[in-house]
Amino acid sequence: DYSAAKERQGFIEGRIQDINGKLARAQVIDVSTIRSDKIVFGATVDLEDQEGGNRLTYKIVGVDEADVKNGKVGITSPIARAMIGKTAGDEVVVHAPKGEIRYDVIKIRYE
């Protein structure tokens, strides 16, 4: 029990150091001040699936904030990398394990 507790304590202390390092390097970005026609970090993007016509909305956020169920995709995710630099009306091609998925960019917002 003692050695298991020491091992767990070491893991927790390592995790605390990791979080402290992330906090020290963190930058707050006010996306409402971004003025761009292109998709960049912080953008909220409305997409339409070319096959099914389903509409999706994603916000590009930092890796630690990503939550796909709530429409937040990390900047390093395949869909975010495919969207970066696109403008309204462009086609986004996402290379997924099941093949290419194509979307049309409907609207870009910074809110």
Side-chain angles (χ1 to χ4, degrees), residues 5 16 22 26 28 32 34 52 56 74 81 83 87 89 95 100:
I16 289 169
K22 287 179 182 180
V28 176
S32 65
I34 297 173
L56 306 164
R81 289 187 311 210
M83 288 191 291
T87 58
H95 300 283
E100 290 184 346

Side-chain angles (χ1 to χ4, degrees), residues 41-111:
F41 179 85
T44 301
V45 184
D46 295 330
L47 301 170
E48 185 174 309
D49 184 353
Q50 288 183 352
E51 284 186 25
N54 298 329
R55 288 223 172 178
L56 306 164
T57 301
Y58 290 119
K59 182 171 185 167
I60 301 175
V61 297
V63 176
D64 293 325
E65 300 172 87
D67 183 2
V68 177
K69 289 181 183 177
N70 288 317
K72 295 180 179 182
V73 293
I75 188 74
T76 60
S77 69
I79 191 162
R81 289 187 311 210
M83 288 191 291
I84 296 294
K86 304 288 192 225
T87 58
D90 285 352
E91 178 183 61
V92 173
V93 180
V94 179
H95 300 283
K98 66 179 183 178
E100 290 184 346
I101 304 170
R102 296 179 181 275
Y103 299 100
D104 290 319
V105 178
I106 305 300
K107 186 175 179 182
I108 304 167
R109 304 184 306 278
Y110 294 95
E111 47 188 35

